[in-house]
Protein backbone atom coordinates (compact mmCIF):
# COMPACT_ATOMS: atom_id res chain seq x y z
CA UNK A 1 0.00 0.00 0.00
CA UNK A 2 2.84 2.31 0.88
CA UNK A 3 4.45 1.37 -2.41
CA UNK A 4 1.32 2.26 -4.33
CA UNK A 5 1.08 5.63 -2.62
CA UNK A 6 4.71 6.39 -3.29
CA UNK A 7 4.35 5.46 -6.94
CA UNK A 8 1.32 7.69 -7.31
CA UNK A 9 3.05 10.60 -5.66
CA UNK A 10 6.13 10.16 -7.83
CA UNK A 11 4.04 10.25 -10.99
CA UNK A 12 2.10 13.21 -9.65
CA UNK A 13 5.30 15.18 -9.46
CA UNK A 14 6.17 14.50 -13.07
CA UNK A 15 2.68 15.01 -14.46
CA UNK A 16 2.39 18.31 -12.57
CA UNK A 17 4.20 19.87 -15.54
CA UNK A 18 0.88 19.70 -17.39
CA UNK A 19 -0.58 22.30 -15.03
CA UNK A 20 1.80 25.29 -15.17
CA UNK A 21 1.79 27.48 -12.09
CA UNK A 22 0.41 31.00 -12.17
CA UNK A 23 3.92 32.39 -12.61
CA UNK A 24 4.68 29.96 -15.42
CA UNK A 25 1.36 30.72 -17.09
CA UNK A 26 2.06 34.41 -16.99
CA UNK A 27 5.41 33.89 -18.66
CA UNK A 28 3.90 31.70 -21.37
CA UNK A 29 1.05 34.15 -21.89
CA UNK A 30 3.47 37.02 -22.20
CA UNK A 31 5.42 35.34 -24.99
CA UNK A 32 2.31 34.27 -26.88
CA UNK A 33 0.69 37.66 -26.39
CA UNK A 34 3.78 39.42 -27.69
CA UNK A 35 3.94 37.05 -30.65
CA UNK A 36 0.30 37.67 -31.54
CA UNK A 37 0.71 41.44 -31.22
CA UNK A 38 3.79 41.53 -33.43
CA UNK A 39 2.13 39.23 -35.93
CA UNK A 40 -0.95 41.43 -36.23
CA UNK A 41 0.97 44.71 -36.31
CA UNK A 42 3.44 43.58 -38.96
CA UNK A 43 1.30 41.35 -41.15
CA UNK A 44 0.35 44.04 -43.67
CA UNK A 45 3.97 45.00 -44.26
CA UNK A 46 4.97 41.39 -44.88
CA UNK A 47 4.47 39.09 -47.84
CA UNK A 48 1.13 37.44 -48.46
CA UNK A 49 2.72 34.46 -50.12
CA UNK A 50 5.99 32.70 -49.39
CA UNK A 51 7.25 30.22 -51.92
CA UNK A 52 9.19 27.20 -50.68
CA UNK A 53 8.71 24.14 -48.51
CA UNK A 54 9.12 23.83 -44.76
CA UNK A 55 11.98 21.86 -43.24
CA UNK A 56 10.18 18.81 -41.87
CA UNK A 57 13.05 17.94 -39.54
CA UNK A 58 12.29 21.17 -37.66
CA UNK A 59 8.64 20.31 -37.33
CA UNK A 60 8.94 16.89 -35.75
CA UNK A 61 8.16 15.93 -32.17
CA UNK A 62 11.41 15.81 -30.29
CA UNK A 63 11.89 13.83 -27.13
CA UNK A 64 13.87 16.70 -25.63
CA UNK A 65 12.00 19.61 -24.21
CA UNK A 66 12.34 22.96 -25.91
CA UNK A 67 11.72 26.51 -24.77
CA UNK A 68 8.60 28.29 -25.99
CA UNK A 69 10.70 31.05 -27.56
CA UNK A 70 12.60 28.49 -29.61
CA UNK A 71 9.37 26.80 -30.68
CA UNK A 72 7.90 30.14 -31.74
CA UNK A 73 10.95 30.76 -33.89
CA UNK A 74 10.39 27.44 -35.65
CA UNK A 75 6.71 28.27 -35.98
CA UNK A 76 7.56 31.54 -37.71
CA UNK A 77 10.13 30.21 -40.15
CA UNK A 78 8.54 26.87 -40.98
CA UNK A 79 4.81 27.57 -40.74
CA UNK A 80 3.92 31.26 -40.76
CA UNK A 81 6.44 32.23 -43.41
CA UNK A 82 5.60 29.40 -45.78
CA UNK A 83 2.77 29.38 -48.31
CA UNK A 84 -0.13 31.80 -48.17
CA UNK A 85 -0.55 34.08 -45.19
CA UNK A 86 -4.29 33.58 -44.71
CA UNK A 87 -4.48 36.29 -42.06
CA UNK A 88 -3.14 38.90 -44.45
CA UNK A 89 -5.39 41.37 -46.25
CA UNK A 90 -3.19 40.62 -49.23
CA UNK A 91 -4.76 37.18 -49.49
CA UNK A 92 -7.15 37.73 -52.36
CA UNK A 93 -6.93 34.32 -54.03
CA UNK A 94 -9.09 31.20 -53.62
CA UNK A 95 -11.67 32.15 -50.98
CA UNK A 96 -9.92 34.04 -48.17
CA UNK A 97 -10.71 33.22 -44.59
CA UNK A 98 -10.76 35.52 -41.63
CA UNK A 99 -9.15 35.40 -38.23
CA UNK A 100 -10.60 38.22 -36.19
CA UNK A 101 -8.89 38.55 -32.85
CA UNK A 102 -11.93 38.34 -30.62
CA UNK A 103 -12.80 34.96 -32.14
CA UNK A 104 -9.31 33.75 -31.21
CA UNK A 105 -10.00 34.86 -27.66
CA UNK A 106 -13.22 32.85 -27.75
CA UNK A 107 -11.22 29.81 -28.84
CA UNK A 108 -8.78 30.35 -26.02
CA UNK A 109 -11.56 30.38 -23.46
CA UNK A 110 -13.30 27.42 -25.09
CA UNK A 111 -10.08 25.43 -24.79
CA UNK A 112 -9.32 26.49 -21.24
CA UNK A 113 -12.81 25.71 -19.95
CA UNK A 114 -13.07 22.77 -22.37
CA UNK A 115 -16.87 22.77 -22.31
CA UNK A 116 -18.39 19.58 -23.70
CA UNK A 117 -20.53 20.97 -26.50
CA UNK A 118 -21.70 17.65 -27.96
CA UNK A 119 -24.60 16.94 -25.62
CA UNK A 120 -26.94 19.15 -23.61
CA UNK A 121 -26.41 17.02 -20.52
CA UNK A 122 -22.68 17.70 -20.58
CA UNK A 123 -22.88 21.44 -21.03
CA UNK A 124 -26.41 22.80 -21.21
CA UNK A 125 -24.95 26.31 -21.48
CA UNK A 126 -22.57 25.57 -24.35
CA UNK A 127 -25.22 23.65 -26.30
CA UNK A 128 -27.82 26.36 -25.70
CA UNK A 129 -25.31 28.99 -26.81
CA UNK A 130 -24.60 27.11 -30.03
CA UNK A 131 -28.31 26.69 -30.66
CA UNK A 132 -28.83 30.42 -30.09
CA UNK A 133 -26.06 31.17 -32.60
CA UNK A 134 -27.88 28.88 -35.05
CA UNK A 135 -31.19 30.63 -34.32
CA UNK A 136 -29.51 33.91 -35.21
CA UNK A 137 -28.33 32.41 -38.52
CA UNK A 138 -31.89 31.19 -39.15
CA UNK A 139 -33.18 34.72 -38.63
CA UNK A 140 -30.59 36.12 -41.08
CA UNK A 141 -31.74 33.71 -43.81
CA UNK A 142 -35.46 33.79 -42.98
CA UNK A 143 -35.46 30.15 -42.00
CA UNK A 144 -38.18 28.96 -39.61
CA UNK A 145 -37.16 28.56 -35.99
CA UNK A 146 -38.19 24.91 -36.20
CA UNK A 147 -35.30 24.25 -38.61
CA UNK A 148 -32.36 22.51 -37.03
CA UNK A 149 -28.74 23.30 -37.54
CA UNK A 150 -25.19 22.48 -36.66
CA UNK A 151 -21.95 24.36 -36.31
CA UNK A 152 -19.49 22.22 -38.24
CA UNK A 153 -15.77 22.41 -38.83
CA UNK A 154 -16.39 24.02 -42.21
CA UNK A 155 -18.46 24.08 -45.37
CA UNK A 156 -17.49 20.59 -46.52
CA UNK A 157 -18.88 18.78 -43.48
CA UNK A 158 -21.89 21.10 -43.49
CA UNK A 159 -22.62 20.10 -47.10
CA UNK A 160 -22.10 16.45 -46.18
CA UNK A 161 -24.77 16.67 -43.48
CA UNK A 162 -27.18 18.30 -45.94
CA UNK A 163 -26.60 15.70 -48.67
CA UNK A 164 -27.08 12.91 -46.12
CA UNK A 165 -30.41 14.44 -45.07
CA UNK A 166 -31.55 14.71 -48.69
CA UNK A 167 -30.64 11.07 -49.29
CA UNK A 168 -32.48 9.88 -46.19
CA UNK A 169 -35.58 12.03 -46.76
CA UNK A 170 -35.97 10.56 -50.25
CA UNK A 171 -34.73 7.14 -49.17
CA UNK A 172 -32.25 6.87 -52.00
CA UNK A 173 -30.86 3.39 -51.46
CA UNK A 174 -30.51 -0.01 -53.08
CA UNK A 175 -31.78 -0.20 -56.66
CA UNK A 176 -33.15 3.35 -56.47
CA UNK A 177 -29.63 4.82 -56.48
CA UNK A 178 -28.87 4.38 -60.17
CA UNK A 179 -32.29 5.74 -61.16
CA UNK A 180 -32.06 8.85 -59.02
CA UNK A 181 -31.01 12.21 -60.36
CA UNK A 182 -29.19 15.18 -58.80
CA UNK A 183 -29.11 18.50 -60.67
CA UNK A 184 -26.18 20.80 -60.19
CA UNK A 185 -24.08 23.47 -61.78
CA UNK A 186 -20.71 22.59 -63.31
CA UNK A 187 -19.48 25.45 -61.09
CA UNK A 188 -20.53 23.70 -57.88
CA UNK A 189 -17.88 23.39 -55.17
CA UNK A 190 -16.10 20.03 -55.39
CA UNK A 191 -16.93 19.18 -51.77
CA UNK A 192 -20.47 18.41 -52.96
CA UNK A 193 -19.15 15.78 -55.36
CA UNK A 194 -17.15 14.37 -52.45
CA UNK A 195 -20.22 14.38 -50.21
CA UNK A 196 -22.28 12.54 -52.84
CA UNK A 197 -19.64 9.81 -53.03
CA UNK A 198 -19.14 9.61 -49.27
CA UNK A 199 -22.86 9.02 -48.64
CA UNK A 200 -22.89 6.15 -51.11
CA UNK A 201 -24.51 7.98 -54.00
CA UNK A 202 -21.61 7.63 -56.40
CA UNK A 203 -23.86 5.85 -58.88
CA UNK A 204 -26.68 8.41 -59.03
CA UNK A 205 -27.26 10.32 -62.26
CA UNK A 206 -25.59 13.73 -62.07
CA UNK A 207 -26.97 16.36 -64.43
CA UNK A 208 -24.57 19.25 -64.98
CA UNK A 209 -26.81 22.15 -65.87
CA UNK A 210 -26.43 24.83 -68.53
CA UNK A 211 -25.27 28.23 -67.34
CA UNK A 212 -26.01 31.74 -68.53
CA UNK A 213 -23.38 34.36 -69.42
CA UNK A 214 -22.93 35.12 -65.73
CA UNK A 215 -22.31 31.47 -64.82
CA UNK A 216 -25.71 31.13 -63.15
CA UNK A 217 -27.88 28.06 -63.61
CA UNK A 218 -30.17 28.41 -66.62
CA UNK A 219 -33.57 27.62 -65.10
CA UNK A 220 -35.28 26.72 -68.37
CA UNK A 221 -32.81 23.97 -69.05
CA UNK A 222 -33.24 22.72 -65.48
CA UNK A 223 -36.98 22.42 -65.99
CA UNK A 224 -36.58 20.71 -69.36
CA UNK A 225 -34.07 18.25 -68.00
CA UNK A 226 -36.33 17.29 -65.07
CA UNK A 227 -39.27 16.69 -67.43
CA UNK A 228 -37.10 14.57 -69.70
CA UNK A 229 -35.80 12.52 -66.78
CA UNK A 230 -39.29 11.91 -65.42
CA UNK A 231 -40.52 10.76 -68.84
CA UNK A 232 -37.63 8.34 -68.96
CA UNK A 233 -38.73 6.82 -65.66
CA UNK A 234 -35.91 8.27 -63.59
CA UNK A 235 -36.22 9.62 -60.06
CA UNK A 236 -35.18 13.28 -59.76
CA UNK A 237 -34.75 14.00 -56.04
CA UNK A 238 -32.31 16.85 -55.46
CA UNK A 239 -31.19 20.14 -56.94
CA UNK A 240 -28.23 22.13 -55.67
CA UNK A 241 -27.82 25.87 -56.14
CA UNK A 242 -24.95 28.11 -55.09
CA UNK A 243 -25.28 31.43 -53.34
CA UNK A 244 -21.88 32.51 -54.57
CA UNK A 245 -19.84 30.02 -56.59
CA UNK A 246 -16.19 29.64 -55.70
CA UNK A 247 -14.89 30.27 -59.18
CA UNK A 248 -16.81 33.37 -60.21
CA UNK A 249 -18.96 34.29 -57.21
CA UNK A 250 -22.17 33.75 -59.15
CA UNK A 251 -25.47 33.52 -57.29
CA UNK A 252 -27.88 31.14 -59.00
CA UNK A 253 -31.52 32.27 -59.46
CA UNK A 254 -32.48 31.05 -56.00
CA UNK A 255 -36.18 31.79 -56.07
CA UNK A 256 -36.86 30.30 -59.50
CA UNK A 257 -34.92 27.15 -58.71
CA UNK A 258 -36.85 26.94 -55.43
CA UNK A 259 -40.15 27.06 -57.30
CA UNK A 260 -39.04 24.32 -59.69
CA UNK A 261 -37.84 22.20 -56.77
CA UNK A 262 -41.19 22.60 -55.03
CA UNK A 263 -43.22 21.71 -58.12
CA UNK A 264 -41.16 18.58 -58.68
CA UNK A 265 -40.80 17.53 -55.07
CA UNK A 266 -37.01 17.86 -55.13
CA UNK A 267 -34.82 18.43 -52.11
CA UNK A 268 -33.51 21.96 -52.56
CA UNK A 269 -30.00 22.49 -51.24
CA UNK A 270 -28.16 25.81 -51.37
CA UNK A 271 -24.42 26.10 -50.85
CA UNK A 272 -23.78 29.60 -49.54
CA UNK A 273 -20.43 28.76 -47.98
CA UNK A 274 -18.67 31.61 -49.73
CA UNK A 275 -21.40 34.14 -50.43
CA UNK A 276 -24.20 33.53 -47.94
CA UNK A 277 -23.47 36.33 -45.51
CA UNK A 278 -23.65 38.98 -48.26
CA UNK A 279 -27.39 38.70 -47.61
CA UNK A 280 -26.66 41.18 -44.82
CA UNK A 281 -25.81 43.84 -47.42
CA UNK A 282 -28.77 46.03 -48.38
CA UNK A 283 -27.64 46.17 -52.03
CA UNK A 284 -27.67 42.36 -52.32
CA UNK A 285 -30.96 41.51 -50.59
CA UNK A 286 -32.75 41.09 -53.92
CA UNK A 287 -30.15 38.63 -55.16
CA UNK A 288 -30.76 36.35 -52.17
CA UNK A 289 -34.56 36.29 -52.47
CA UNK A 290 -35.72 32.70 -52.38
CA UNK A 291 -32.88 31.44 -50.21
CA UNK A 292 -35.50 30.77 -47.53
CA UNK A 293 -37.08 28.20 -49.85
CA UNK A 294 -34.14 25.83 -49.42
CA UNK A 295 -34.59 22.55 -47.56
CA UNK A 296 -30.98 22.84 -46.49
CA UNK A 297 -28.49 25.67 -46.52
CA UNK A 298 -24.76 25.86 -45.87
CA UNK A 299 -22.83 28.95 -44.85
CA UNK A 300 -19.25 29.39 -43.67
CA UNK A 301 -18.70 31.87 -40.85
CA UNK A 302 -14.95 31.28 -41.35
CA UNK A 303 -15.37 33.02 -44.69
CA UNK A 304 -18.21 35.55 -44.69
CA UNK A 305 -18.06 36.43 -40.98
CA UNK A 306 -14.26 36.68 -40.93
CA UNK A 307 -13.82 34.07 -38.19
CA UNK A 308 -10.70 31.89 -38.06
CA UNK A 309 -10.79 28.59 -39.96
CA UNK A 310 -12.81 25.91 -38.26
CA UNK A 311 -16.45 26.95 -38.36
CA UNK A 312 -19.13 26.24 -40.95
CA UNK A 313 -22.86 25.93 -40.46
CA UNK A 314 -25.74 23.95 -41.90
CA UNK A 315 -29.46 24.53 -41.53
CA UNK A 316 -32.01 21.86 -42.39
CA UNK A 317 -35.77 22.32 -42.19
CA UNK A 318 -36.73 18.67 -41.81
CA UNK A 319 -35.41 17.48 -38.46
CA UNK A 320 -36.30 13.83 -38.95
CA UNK A 321 -34.27 13.60 -42.15
CA UNK A 322 -31.13 14.60 -40.24
CA UNK A 323 -31.93 12.46 -37.21
CA UNK A 324 -32.32 9.39 -39.44
CA UNK A 325 -28.55 8.99 -39.83
CA UNK A 326 -27.16 11.01 -36.95
CA UNK A 327 -29.39 10.48 -33.92
CA UNK A 328 -28.25 7.57 -31.85
CA UNK A 329 -28.68 6.23 -28.37
CA UNK A 330 -26.11 3.98 -26.79
CA UNK A 331 -26.22 2.42 -23.34
CA UNK A 332 -23.26 4.43 -22.16
CA UNK A 333 -25.13 7.58 -23.18
CA UNK A 334 -28.22 6.86 -21.09
CA UNK A 335 -27.77 9.87 -18.81
CA UNK A 336 -27.59 12.21 -21.75
CA UNK A 337 -31.31 12.73 -22.28
CA UNK A 338 -32.49 15.63 -24.36
CA UNK A 339 -34.03 18.66 -22.81
CA UNK A 340 -35.94 20.49 -25.48
CA UNK A 341 -32.60 21.50 -26.97
CA UNK A 342 -31.12 19.77 -30.00
CA UNK A 343 -27.90 17.95 -29.16
CA UNK A 344 -25.17 18.84 -31.67
CA UNK A 345 -24.14 15.17 -31.61
CA UNK A 346 -27.58 14.17 -32.93
CA UNK A 347 -27.26 16.21 -36.10
CA UNK A 348 -23.61 15.66 -37.00
CA UNK A 349 -21.16 12.78 -37.41
CA UNK A 350 -19.20 14.28 -34.50
CA UNK A 351 -19.76 13.35 -30.88
CA UNK A 352 -17.02 15.11 -28.96
CA UNK A 353 -16.20 18.33 -30.73
CA UNK A 354 -14.59 21.71 -30.40
CA UNK A 355 -16.90 24.19 -28.69
CA UNK A 356 -17.09 26.41 -31.77
CA UNK A 357 -20.10 28.42 -30.72
CA UNK A 358 -18.04 30.65 -28.45
CA UNK A 359 -15.73 31.92 -31.22
CA UNK A 360 -18.81 33.24 -33.01
CA UNK A 361 -20.92 34.28 -30.04
CA UNK A 362 -18.17 36.38 -28.45
CA UNK A 363 -17.31 38.58 -31.48
CA UNK A 364 -20.95 39.09 -32.48
CA UNK A 365 -21.87 40.18 -28.97
CA UNK A 366 -18.72 42.24 -28.42
CA UNK A 367 -18.78 44.17 -31.69
CA UNK A 368 -22.46 44.04 -32.61
CA UNK A 369 -23.39 43.18 -36.18
CA UNK A 370 -22.76 46.58 -37.80
CA UNK A 371 -18.97 46.28 -38.30
CA UNK A 372 -19.50 42.90 -39.96
CA UNK A 373 -22.03 44.34 -42.41
CA UNK A 374 -19.78 47.35 -43.09
CA UNK A 375 -16.91 44.99 -43.79
CA UNK A 376 -18.98 42.98 -46.27
CA UNK A 377 -20.11 46.18 -48.03
CA UNK A 378 -16.50 47.36 -48.08
CA UNK A 379 -15.47 44.12 -49.84
CA UNK A 380 -18.13 44.66 -52.53
CA UNK A 381 -16.94 48.20 -53.22
CA UNK A 382 -13.29 47.13 -53.23
CA UNK A 383 -14.12 44.56 -55.90
CA UNK A 384 -15.56 47.32 -58.10
CA UNK A 385 -12.57 49.53 -57.34
CA UNK A 386 -10.07 46.78 -58.19
CA UNK A 387 -11.79 46.05 -61.51
CA UNK A 388 -11.82 49.75 -62.42
CA UNK A 389 -8.12 50.12 -61.64
CA UNK A 390 -7.26 47.00 -63.65
CA UNK A 391 -9.07 48.37 -66.69
CA UNK A 392 -7.05 51.59 -66.39
CA UNK A 393 -3.81 49.65 -66.80
CA UNK A 394 -5.02 47.72 -69.82
CA UNK A 395 -6.52 44.53 -68.38
CA UNK A 396 -9.71 42.87 -69.53
CA UNK A 397 -12.09 41.95 -66.72
CA UNK A 398 -14.78 39.26 -66.50
CA UNK A 399 -18.49 40.14 -66.35
CA UNK A 400 -19.81 42.30 -63.51
CA UNK A 401 -19.67 39.89 -60.53
CA UNK A 402 -22.64 39.21 -58.27
CA UNK A 403 -20.42 39.41 -55.20
CA UNK A 404 -16.68 39.80 -54.52
CA UNK A 405 -15.07 37.20 -56.79
CA UNK A 406 -14.06 38.20 -60.28
CA UNK A 407 -11.33 37.58 -62.84
CA UNK A 408 -9.14 39.36 -65.34
CA UNK A 409 -6.52 38.74 -67.98
CA UNK A 410 -4.07 40.72 -70.06
CA UNK A 411 -4.85 40.90 -73.78
CA UNK A 412 -1.24 40.38 -74.80
CA UNK A 413 -2.00 39.17 -78.29
CA UNK A 414 -0.30 35.95 -79.38
CA UNK A 415 -0.64 33.06 -76.93
CA UNK A 416 -2.67 34.85 -74.27
CA UNK A 417 -3.02 31.78 -72.06
CA UNK A 418 0.74 31.35 -71.91
CA UNK A 419 1.28 35.06 -71.27
CA UNK A 420 -1.20 35.19 -68.38
CA UNK A 421 0.15 31.99 -66.91
CA UNK A 422 3.62 33.53 -66.91
CA UNK A 423 2.21 36.70 -65.38
CA UNK A 424 0.58 34.63 -62.63
CA UNK A 425 3.90 32.94 -61.95
CA UNK A 426 5.59 36.32 -61.63
CA UNK A 427 2.88 37.47 -59.23
CA UNK A 428 3.41 34.37 -57.09
CA UNK A 429 7.17 34.91 -57.13
CA UNK A 430 6.63 38.48 -55.97
CA UNK A 431 4.30 37.45 -53.13
CA UNK A 432 3.31 40.96 -52.01
CA UNK A 433 -0.30 40.00 -52.61
CA UNK A 434 -1.64 36.51 -53.30
CA UNK A 435 -3.95 35.92 -56.25
CA UNK A 436 -4.98 32.60 -57.77
CA UNK A 437 -6.01 31.53 -61.25
CA UNK A 438 -8.68 29.49 -62.97
CA UNK A 439 -9.84 28.53 -66.43
CA UNK A 440 -13.06 29.94 -67.81
CA UNK A 441 -14.15 27.98 -70.90
CA UNK A 442 -10.56 26.99 -71.51
CA UNK A 443 -9.19 30.49 -71.07
CA UNK A 444 -6.51 31.04 -68.43
CA UNK A 445 -7.55 33.93 -66.17
CA UNK A 446 -6.35 35.43 -62.91
CA UNK A 447 -8.87 35.38 -60.10
CA UNK A 448 -9.52 37.87 -57.34
CA UNK A 449 -11.54 36.99 -54.27
CA UNK A 450 -11.93 39.82 -51.83
CA UNK A 451 -13.20 38.61 -48.48
CA UNK A 452 -10.50 39.13 -45.88
CA UNK A 453 -11.49 41.67 -43.23
CA UNK A 454 -7.96 43.07 -43.54
CA UNK A 455 -8.24 43.81 -47.27
CA UNK A 456 -8.47 47.60 -47.50
CA UNK A 457 -8.22 50.21 -50.26
CA UNK A 458 -4.51 50.47 -49.59
CA UNK A 459 -4.20 46.71 -50.22
CA UNK A 460 -5.77 47.09 -53.65
CA UNK A 461 -3.49 50.02 -54.49
CA UNK A 462 -0.54 47.86 -53.46
CA UNK A 463 -1.89 45.04 -55.63
CA UNK A 464 -2.17 47.27 -58.68
CA UNK A 465 1.44 48.39 -58.20
CA UNK A 466 2.58 44.80 -57.90
CA UNK A 467 0.63 43.73 -61.00
CA UNK A 468 2.08 46.61 -63.03
CA UNK A 469 5.58 45.59 -62.05
CA UNK A 470 4.94 41.91 -62.82
CA UNK A 471 3.29 42.84 -66.11
CA UNK A 472 6.38 44.80 -67.16
CA UNK A 473 8.58 41.82 -66.23
CA UNK A 474 6.38 39.42 -68.18
CA UNK A 475 6.45 41.64 -71.27
CA UNK A 476 10.22 41.88 -71.02
CA UNK A 477 10.64 38.12 -71.06
CA UNK A 478 8.27 37.87 -74.01
CA UNK A 479 10.39 40.29 -76.07
C1 LIG B 1 -15.18 27.09 -49.28
C2 LIG B 1 -16.37 26.51 -49.91
C3 LIG B 1 -16.81 25.24 -49.58
C4 LIG B 1 -16.05 24.30 -48.67
O1 LIG B 1 -16.01 24.80 -47.39
P1 LIG B 1 -14.80 24.44 -46.40
O2 LIG B 1 -15.10 25.34 -45.26
O3 LIG B 1 -13.54 24.81 -47.14
O4 LIG B 1 -14.86 23.02 -46.07
C5 LIG B 1 -18.00 24.79 -50.14
N1 LIG B 1 -18.67 25.56 -50.99
C6 LIG B 1 -18.26 26.80 -51.36
C7 LIG B 1 -19.07 27.60 -52.31
C8 LIG B 1 -17.09 27.31 -50.82
O5 LIG B 1 -16.67 28.54 -51.18
Amino acid sequence: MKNLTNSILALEQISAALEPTLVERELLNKDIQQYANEFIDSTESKLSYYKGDPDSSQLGISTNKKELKELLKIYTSEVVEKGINPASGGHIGYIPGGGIYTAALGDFLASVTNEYAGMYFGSPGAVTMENEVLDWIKSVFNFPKTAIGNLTSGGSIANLIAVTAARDKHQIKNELVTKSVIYLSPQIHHCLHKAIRIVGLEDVQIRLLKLDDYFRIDVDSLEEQIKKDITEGLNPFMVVASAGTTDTGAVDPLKQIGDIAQQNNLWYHIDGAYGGFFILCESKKELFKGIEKADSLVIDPHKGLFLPYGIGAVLVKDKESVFHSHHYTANYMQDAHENGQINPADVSPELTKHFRGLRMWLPLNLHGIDPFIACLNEKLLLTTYFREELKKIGFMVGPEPDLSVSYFWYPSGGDENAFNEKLMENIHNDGTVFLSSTRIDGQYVIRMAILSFRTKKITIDKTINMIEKCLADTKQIEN
Side-chain angles (χ1 to χ4, degrees):
M1 202 56 202
K2 190 144 181 282
N3 246 345
L4 179 62
T5 305
N6 286 344
S7 299
I8 292 172
L9 292 179
L11 292 172
E12 205 173 80
Q13 278 206 345
I14 303 169
S15 65
L18 300 181
E19 184 79 282
T21 63
L22 176 61
V23 173
E24 286 167 336
R25 288 202 301 276
E26 281 177 340
L27 287 171
L28 292 168
N29 290 350
K30 198 165 143 259
D31 283 350
I32 294 284
Q33 187 71 63
Q34 192 182 346
Y35 189 93
N37 286 339
E38 280 174 10
F39 176 85
I40 291 170
D41 291 339
S42 70
T43 200
E44 293 316 302
S45 60
K46 292 210 171 139
L47 293 180
S48 298
Y49 181 58
Y50 297 85
K51 270 201 148 174
D53 299 310
D55 173 3
S56 59
S57 69
Q58 296 269 347
L59 289 173
I61 302 293
S62 77
T63 38
N64 302 324
K65 295 196 291 180
K66 288 196 174 105
E67 293 289 322
L68 178 59
K69 279 197 169 66
E70 190 189 342
L71 294 168
L72 289 176
K73 239 185 230 155
I74 296 171
Y75 184 62
T76 301
S77 66
E78 305 310 313
V79 178
V80 172
E81 295 185 353
K82 290 284 184 300
I84 302 169
N85 177 1
S88 161
H91 178 15
I92 49 184
Y94 302 116
I95 299 290
I100 58 175
Y101 189 67
T102 50
L105 296 179
D107 271 350
F108 178 73
L109 272 188
S111 295
V112 170
T113 57
N114 203 24
E115 289 293 333
Y116 192 90
M119 303 290 277
Y120 183 85
F121 179 79
S123 180
V127 169
T128 304
M129 180 188 282
E130 292 208 339
N131 285 337
E132 288 292 324
V133 166
L134 287 160
D135 280 353
W136 177 77
I137 299 177
K138 288 175 211 166
S139 71
V140 168
F141 291 94
N142 288 316
F143 260 56
K145 238 193 136 167
T146 50
I148 55 154
N150 187 247
L151 297 177
T152 61
S153 58
S156 299
I157 300 299
N159 275 304
L160 179 69
I161 292 172
V163 172
T164 309
R167 178 200 65 187
D168 292 346
K169 174 76 181 179
H170 287 262
Q171 299 184 38
I172 310 299
K173 51 185 175 182
N174 304 328
E175 60 280 358
L176 201 52
V177 172
T178 50
K179 284 174 62 183
S180 296
V181 193
I182 303 178
Y183 302 86
L184 35 88
S185 158
Q187 293 276 331
I188 204 86
H189 192 276
H190 72 274
C191 75
L192 276 147
H193 290 289
K194 277 170 67 172
I196 288 166
R197 290 201 294 256
I198 292 169
V199 305
L201 296 184
E202 183 173 1
D203 294 331
V204 296
Q205 310 286 326
I206 303 268
R207 299 280 183 252
L208 294 179
L209 299 164
K210 267 197 210 132
L211 304 180
D212 68 12
D213 292 343
Y214 292 84
F215 306 100
R216 304 176 188 133
I217 288 173
D218 176 83
V219 286
D220 291 339
S221 74
L222 169 64
E223 233 172 349
E224 276 166 35
Q225 187 66 54
I226 295 171
K227 278 205 191 97
K228 188 159 166 273
D229 289 332
I230 293 173
T231 341
E232 288 177 10
L234 296 175
N235 176 42
F237 81 99
M238 182 184 197
V239 58
V240 184
S242 303
T245 57
T246 312
D247 226 12
T248 63
V251 179
D252 290 320
L254 303 179
K255 187 176 170 304
Q256 287 163 286
I257 298 174
D259 291 339
I260 296 171
Q262 205 166 7
Q263 284 153 20
N264 292 282
N265 187 32
L266 305 186
W267 182 282
Y268 184 25
H269 176 61
I270 299 179
D271 179 7
Y274 150 61
F277 279 111
F278 282 104
I279 197 175
L280 292 166
C281 300
E282 211 48 57
S283 65
K284 297 294 169 191
K285 291 253 186 287
E286 195 61 34
L287 202 57
F288 285 91
K289 278 220 171 109
I291 202 164
E292 73 286 349
K293 286 174 166 283
D295 293 295
S296 52
L297 170 68
V298 164
I299 53 254
D300 249 356
H302 67 197
K303 290 176 180 162
L305 275 190
F306 320 112
L307 302 186
Y309 292 139
I311 184 165
V314 60
L315 300 179
V316 182
K317 282 185 188 153
D318 185 305
K319 173 178 151 187
E320 293 313 318
S321 66
V322 181
F323 270 31
H324 183 84
S325 280
H326 293 108
H327 184 257
Y328 207 81
T329 38
N331 289 341
Y332 50 81
M333 300 284 288
Q334 63 183 358
D335 296 334
H337 50 80
E338 287 157 39
N339 216 324
Q341 292 278 344
I342 298 288
N343 288 318
D346 289 336
V347 293
S348 153
E350 293 180 297
L351 175 57
T352 304
K353 67 179 199 98
H354 177 57
F355 172 29
R356 332 184 151 96
L358 189 55
R359 51 163 38 214
M360 181 153 164
W361 181 88
L362 195 67
L364 281 174
N365 280 303
L366 270 175
H367 305 301
I369 188 66
D370 287 348
F372 291 90
I373 301 177
C375 199
L376 287 163
N377 278 316
E378 182 191 20
K379 304 305 108 159
L380 292 173
L381 297 186
L382 285 175
T383 308
T384 308
Y385 177 70
F386 192 10
R387 284 165 51 90
E388 291 302 317
E389 294 301 305
L390 281 166
K391 283 194 257 179
K392 283 187 199 162
I393 58 171
F395 278 87
M396 305 291 286
V397 296
E400 186 78 32
D402 285 334
L403 302 171
S404 68
V405 174
S406 183
Y407 61 88
F408 58 95
W409 71 97
Y410 193 74
S412 60
D415 189 346
E416 284 188 4
N417 277 359
F419 183 91
N420 283 281
E421 211 168 327
K422 183 71 205 159
L423 174 59
M424 181 85 264
E425 196 185 318
N426 286 338
I427 290 172
H428 284 166
N429 284 334
D430 182 288
T432 311
V433 171
F434 180 79
L435 293 150
S436 60
S437 68
T438 186
R439 272 177 200 273
I440 305 282
D441 297 329
Q443 186 189 0
Y444 188 98
V445 295
I446 302 175
R447 248 178 100 261
M448 63 166 93
I450 301 183
L451 197 60
S452 163
F453 70 105
R454 290 200 176 102
T455 303
K456 300 283 159 190
K457 181 178 169 292
I458 194 173
T459 324
I460 303 301
D461 292 337
K462 196 164 78 171
T463 310
I464 290 289
N465 284 338
M466 176 196 72
I467 291 176
E468 276 193 293
K469 185 181 141 282
C470 294
L471 180 62
D473 290 348
T474 312
K475 282 180 176 169
Q476 206 155 31
I477 299 163
E478 290 286 299
N479 290 330

